[in-house]
Amino acid sequence: MTTVTQIGTPRRWSMLALGVFAQASSAVMTNGAPFLLPALTQRGLSLATAGLLVAMPLAGLCCTLIAWGWIVDHAGERAALVAGPAIMCAAGVAAATVTNYVALGALLFLAGAGAGSTNGASGRVIVGWFPPNRRGLAMGIRQTAQPLGVAVGAMTIPAVAAAHGFSTAVLVPAIMAGVAAVGCLAGIVDPPRPESARGAGRPVNPYRGDSTLWRIHGVSILLVVPQATIWTFGLLWLHREVGMSLAAAGAVVTGTQILGAAGRIGAGVWSDKVGSRLGPLRTVAIAAVISMAALAVAAWAHQWWAAIPILVAASVITVADNGLAFTAVAEIAGPFWSGRGLGIQNTGQNLASAAVAPVFGALIAAAGFPIVYALVALVALAAVPLVPTGSVPLAATGSR
C-alpha cells in the first residue's frame, strides 16, 4: 500500500487536477443542461416541461450519490473515478443519437447517475492526501470544478446547440467524461486508511449521537437553492428581462462562474487560516441572504445598472459555501464514512437543485423573477441559525 510519505507534492497536485477535471465533466452534464432551456422553449416546450427535462441529469446523480459513496468507502476512490465517467461518456454518446424526448430524458438520467461518482471520490482523494492545514485550499480548488464546468457549459452548449442541434451539444460533457476516465485510470492512487482503525472493529457511525453532520447537510440544502436559481435562470433572466443577446448573457454567466471559482478558493484559504470551516460558512450564509434580497429589489425596480452587478456578486457568494461544508463533512465523518457522508451531502443538495428548475420555473411564469429572488433570500435566511456553533479541530478529523 502506498503511504502518505511516498507521495510527493507534485503527485498530490496532479491527482487534485484529475479530480477537478473529472468533477468538471460531471458539472457540465448536470449543471450545464439548463443552458439548453432557450433551445427547448423555442421548440414549443413550456418552461416547466423543459425544466423537467434538463433536470434529468441531476435526478440521476441524486439517486446514486450514496451508492457511489459506499463504493468509495469499500472499493476505493480510483474505481469510482474511472467507472462513473465511463458510464457518463457512454450515456452521453447514446443521447446524441436519439430524438425522442422520453429516451433522451432516460439517457440523461443515466449520464447523471455516472456523474455522481466524482463528487465524493474526488473529495476523498483530497482529504486522504492533503494535510489538514492545506485541505481548505485544496478543496477550494477542487470545488472550482463546478463553476468552471458551468462556465464551459455556458460557452459551448448554447453555441453547439444553435449550430448543430440539441443532441450534439450533449457530446460536450460526454467527451470530457471519456478523457477523465482514462486520466483517472492512469493517475489516481487510492489514499491509505489507518489499519489500526480498520482492525479495531466496525468504524463508529458519526451520525449517531451527534447532530453536527445533519445540521451541515441541512445548511447546504438550503444554501444550494439560491445557487441553483441563479445558475438555472440567470441566462434566461438576462436575455428575456434585461434584454441581452444570448451571446452577451452567456458571456456574463461565464464571467460569474470564473469569479465564483476564485471565490471558492478564497473561502478555502480563509478556513485554513482561521482553523475553522463552520465560522466562514455562517458568514457566507448571511451574505447570501443579503445578496439575494438586494437582487430581488433591483429586479423589481427594473434597475438593471444595479441588478447585473448584484447578480454577479450573488453568483460568487452563493457558491462559496460548498467547499467549506464539503470539507467539514469529509473531516468530521472520517476515513471510513466520508464517502457516504459526502454522498448524503450531495444527495440533499442535488435533490434541491433538481427541484429548482421545474418548481421555480412555474413560479417565475406565475409571479415573475423578483418574487422568486425574494423567496430564495428567505430560504437562505433559514440556513443561518442552522450552522453548528461549535468548532471541530482540523487536525483531529479524518487525518492519517
Side-chain angles (χ1 to χ4, degrees), residues 2 66 109 125 206 250 261 263 291 336 362 371 392:
T2 305
I66 297 176
F109 181 92
V125 168
S291 63
F336 297 107
I371 295 298
V392 181

Side-chain angles (χ1 to χ4, degrees), residues 286-311:
I286 294 170
V289 176
I290 295 171
S291 63
M292 291 307 301
L295 181 60
V297 172
W300 174 75
H302 298 282
Q303 299 297 314
W304 309 134
W305 62 271
I308 295 174
I310 293 172
L311 176 72

Side-chain angles (χ1 to χ4, degrees), residues 35-387:
F35 294 120
L36 290 163
L37 281 174
L40 289 171
T41 55
Q42 286 172 5
R43 291 184 175 189
L45 291 177
S46 69
L47 184 57
T49 302
L52 179 62
L53 182 61
V54 301
M56 283 296 99
L58 272 176
L61 180 143
C62 291
C63 290
T64 57
L65 280 168
I66 297 176
W68 280 116
W70 185 91
I71 290 172
V72 169
D73 287 337
H74 290 82
E77 295 77 4
R78 183 170 176 262
L81 284 170
V82 173
I87 293 171
M88 184 167 60
C89 178
V93 170
T97 68
V98 301
T99 56
N100 180 273
Y101 285 131
V102 174
L104 180 61
L107 287 168
L108 290 176
F109 181 92
L110 180 60
S117 68
T118 64
N119 287 6
S122 60
R124 269 285 311 136
V125 168
I126 290 170
V127 174
W129 286 122
F130 282 82
N133 65 343
R134 301 291 284 176
R135 285 180 195 152
L137 169 62
M139 193 70 83
I141 294 173
R142 180 264 181 202
Q143 291 296 107
T144 65
Q146 194 171 31
L148 288 177
V150 174
V152 170
M155 289 188 295
T156 59
I157 289 178
V160 173
H164 304 288
F166 179 96
S167 296
T168 305
V170 179
L171 288 175
V172 174
I175 293 171
M176 287 182 64
V179 174
V182 174
C184 291
L185 178 64
I188 294 293
V189 177
D190 287 341
R193 291 173 182 161
E195 294 297 332
S196 59
R198 188 186 296 274
R202 192 174 212 174
V204 176
N205 185 340
Y207 288 92
R208 292 178 180 170
D210 192 333
S211 65
T212 300
L213 285 172
W214 290 117
R215 292 180 65 174
I216 294 173
H217 295 329
V219 169
S220 297
I221 290 171
L222 293 171
L223 291 183
V224 85
V225 172
Q227 172 186 312
T229 300
I230 291 176
W231 279 3
T232 303
F233 298 108
L235 182 73
L236 198 65
W237 177 72
L238 290 169
H239 179 56
R240 288 190 177 179
E241 301 292 317
V242 181
M244 285 186 173
S245 67
L246 281 175
V252 171
V253 171
T254 300
T256 63
Q257 296 306 314
I258 294 172
L259 291 173
R264 291 187 180 202
I265 296 173
V269 173
W270 176 21
S271 73
D272 284 340
K273 288 188 177 297
V274 300
S276 170
R277 317 296 180 202
L278 302 182
L281 180 61
R282 183 177 298 104
T283 301
V284 169
I286 294 170
V289 176
I290 295 171
S291 63
M292 291 307 301
L295 181 60
V297 172
W300 174 75
H302 298 282
Q303 299 297 314
W304 309 134
W305 62 271
I308 295 174
I310 293 172
L311 176 72
V312 173
S315 298
V316 175
I317 292 168
T318 57
V319 301
D321 66 284
N322 285 16
L324 298 171
F326 204 74
T327 309
V329 168
E331 291 179 329
I332 294 168
F336 297 107
W337 268 86
S338 56
R340 280 162 286 183
L342 294 175
I344 294 170
Q345 168 80 2
N346 279 305
T347 297
Q349 283 188 299
N350 286 290
L351 283 172
S353 294
V356 163
V359 172
F360 284 172
L363 286 175
I364 289 169
F369 281 97
I371 295 298
V372 167
Y373 290 153
L375 177 62
V376 167
L378 292 176
V379 173
L381 180 62
V384 176
L386 198 57
V387 178

